[in-house]
Every structure is written in structure tokens, then in C-alpha cells.
Amino acid sequence: MTIKNSKFYLLVVTLILLISQSANSQENYTIEISTDENRVEYGMPFVVSLRLVYQQPQTLRQTGKPRLLIHVDGLKLLVQNLDTDQTSDFILYDPDFYLEGTRGLEYNAKVVVWCDVNKTRGKLIKKMIFPSPGDYRFRIQRNGIRSNELEIMVKPSQLGQRAMSLLKDPNDFAFLKGGTHKSERAVLTLKEVVKQCKGSVLAKWAAARLGIEYFEEFNKKHPSFDKFKALREKGEAEEPLFDQAYEYHVIGAELPDEFLIRDIILGQLVEIEFINGDYEKMSSLI
């Protein structure tokens, strides 16, 4: 090896070591999980809180200030059925972790635990995270870093059974969770969930998804809310899309705060109440 090649080799090795050390410092954290629930009804979603605690502050290179938001990929949810001893794992798709405090050491995220929907060999597959009533233990894991473990009891539920009998198609689950794979069938299915599972978290979630969809359709048809409001005040505007959006937004707003979709619902409900001219309700939502 020539002196020139030797120097180049040493430079490459040094760069690799520096990158490796940088990556290791970024990965030097612990994962903590918690939930307000230790019992849930079969078929019903619930929220798990995730917390990352770093040993070194997570800062922006340009300013040195703490990052306000961190994206973490590769998080896995491992679930053990304590009745059958069977273990399944699921991917948590890039939850957003928001800064807690001011030091850049702690970040929090919320994830809805319910079902996993993904494409396998071009086909959409749905898999329930807790597929039947029973006792379960679960944790979060990433690159060998494990969280604490939690146990939860999934209770038999007629309401949950009814919901699962309605939500048969993987496309229905995908539409409810993320607004994708929308179809006339999926919309009608969520309407039935709202109607037949009144008061449940799942019904409120379905209502929130329907409310957002109807509001977006209404907005496309009426880009100017001021003009539509003026016509409505004169009694010259009848719009079923607006009425349906309002109906489902009211139900969706009853979701727990931990459901991120609720923030969208409340924001759109402000605009709906503006159009309705109910400024008292509008100000209470802001």
C-alpha cells in the first residue's frame, strides 16, 4: 500500500468512527411506556404514552437549540398473549415525539393501540393487536433497546363484537386509521359503527374520520366560507355536506385528548361554528 493510499484509508476509517460515535450518542436513550388503562373492552382502541429519555441533549446543528420534534422509525410493539404464550410483533409507524421541558432530554408521543394494517405482497392485510379477550403483556423495542412491560386485560364485549362484525374489510380499517383506501363501502361501514356502537371510543373515532372527510368535500365545493356563510344567513344555501360534517364533528369532538385526530376535529369545528354564527361556541373551542 502506498503512502497516499494509506492516508486515504486512515481518513476513511476516522470518518467511519466519528459517524459511529455520533450515531451511538444519538441512540443513547431509554424507552418508557404507560397507559391509563389496565382493562379494555375487546375491539376497542386505547392510547399508550411513549417517553424517550436521552443521556445527551438532542439539539439542532445550526443553532444548538433543543429539537422540538423527533421522528423515530423502527419501533416495534411486542405483544404476548399470557393465555396461549404466543408472541406477536407490530411496527409502530414513525410516531412523532414532542419535546418535554427545555433541555432536549425527554420527548413524548401518543400511539393508538388497536390494529395493524399493511400491504403484504400487494395485498392489504389487517391484524388485530389484541385479537381476542384475555390477558396480555406488551412492550416497545428498538434496536435492542427495550421499554418496561405493561399488562392489560381485554374483556369480552358485545359492543366490540358488533364493531368487529361491521369492520370486516382491511380497507375499512385503513380508512378509519389514516383516511386512506376510501370507498363508498368504507364510508357506509363507519356510519354503521357510529350508529350501532354509540358512546364507544370506536364510534367517536369513526365519527371523527367521517367528519373530516365531509368537511374536506364541503370545502372543495365551497372554497369561500365567508360567501357560504352570507348565503346561509339569507336562507339561500342548503348543503348536506356541511350538515353531515357538523353532525360527525360534534361526536368526534368527544374523543379523548390523546387521539391526535381530535385536534383536527376541534380546528375544523371552529370554522363550522363560525359559519353557523355561533361565536360563543367558536370561542370556547379556541
Side-chain angles (χ1 to χ4, degrees):
M1 181 181 293
T2 66
I3 294 176
K4 184 177 180 180
N5 288 340
S6 177
K7 287 182 178 179
F8 177 75
Y9 174 77
L10 289 172
L11 178 61
V12 170
V13 171
T14 302
L15 287 171
I16 290 173
L17 286 173
L18 286 172
I19 292 170
S20 175
Q21 289 171 3
S22 174
N24 287 336
S25 68
Q26 293 294 315
E27 296 293 300
N28 202 0
Y29 61 84
T30 58
I31 306 172
E32 301 172 6
I33 61 173
S34 61
T35 179
D36 294 334
E37 311 285 346
N38 55 18
R39 294 185 178 187
V40 296
E41 293 188 354
Y42 167 71
M44 295 298 158
F46 69 99
V47 174
V48 173
S49 301
L50 282 63
R51 187 166 177 255
L52 300 181
V53 181
Y54 288 88
Q55 290 192 6
Q56 299 294 329
Q58 303 302 293
T59 57
L60 298 169
R61 289 183 180 179
Q62 299 89 335
T63 63
K65 293 182 178 180
R67 295 184 183 182
L68 299 179
L69 177 67
I70 288 180
H71 300 282
V72 180
D73 59 5
L75 284 170
K76 283 187 177 182
L77 173 66
L78 283 85
V79 179
Q80 179 186 9
N81 186 322
L82 297 179
D83 299 321
T84 65
D85 205 33
Q86 181 179 355
T87 300
S88 303
D89 62 87
F90 306 88
I91 298 293
L92 296 180
Y93 291 99
D94 302 347
D96 292 332
F97 286 82
Y98 293 90
L99 174 66
E100 178 183 338
T102 59
R103 300 172 61 193
L105 294 174
E106 300 176 11
Y107 292 81
N108 295 324
K110 305 283 187 183
V111 292
V112 176
V113 175
W114 184 49
C115 77
D116 180 59
V117 183
N118 61 72
K119 274 193 174 182
T120 302
R121 297 177 182 177
K123 185 178 180 181
L124 201 63
I125 302 295
K126 174 269 299 181
K127 188 177 180 182
M128 298 302 295
I129 292 176
F130 300 107
S132 61
D135 294 318
Y136 294 85
R137 179 183 295 130
F138 64 93
R139 70 173 185 267
I140 302 294
Q141 185 170 312
R142 181 179 187 266
N143 294 342
I145 300 174
R146 296 184 175 188
S147 74
N148 55 302
E149 293 185 333
L150 296 177
E151 292 188 5
I152 194 162
M153 176 188 290
V154 179
K155 302 182 297 182
S157 167
Q158 291 185 348
L159 205 59
Q161 291 283 5
R162 188 181 308 154
M164 292 301 100
S165 70
L166 294 169
L167 292 162
K168 294 178 180 178
D169 194 305
N171 292 282
D172 300 339
F173 287 84
F175 177 54
L176 173 54
K177 288 188 68 179
T180 61
H181 298 271
K182 180 183 177 181
S183 65
E184 184 178 348
R185 171 203 157 85
V187 170
L188 291 174
T189 298
L190 293 201
K191 284 185 174 182
E192 285 301 310
V193 170
V194 175
K195 182 179 178 182
Q196 296 190 36
C197 305
K198 286 182 180 178
S200 70
V201 172
L202 194 57
K204 295 169 186 176
W205 193 10
R209 176 59 59 198
L210 290 170
I212 288 171
E213 292 298 319
Y214 280 122
F215 185 82
E216 289 178 353
E217 289 181 26
F218 160 74
N219 196 10
K220 287 179 183 177
K221 189 174 179 181
H222 302 277
S224 173
F225 293 160
D226 288 317
K227 288 182 180 179
F228 180 78
K229 183 176 186 294
L231 291 172
R232 188 175 173 83
E233 288 171 348
K234 295 176 183 177
E236 298 176 4
E238 292 292 330
E239 182 52 78
L241 289 173
F242 179 80
D243 297 335
Q244 287 176 306
Y246 182 53
E247 175 188 354
Y248 288 117
H249 271 73
V250 170
I251 300 172
E254 296 176 2
L255 272 172
D257 291 338
E258 292 83 0
F259 280 74
L260 297 181
I261 194 173
R262 185 173 184 268
D263 291 338
I264 302 173
I265 287 294
L266 294 180
Q268 292 180 349
L269 201 50
V270 168
E271 295 178 302
I272 290 173
E273 295 298 1
F274 165 75
I275 293 170
N276 281 335
D278 194 331
Y279 302 116
E280 185 176 345
K281 281 187 180 179
M282 178 182 161
S283 62
S284 70
L285 292 166
I286 297 174

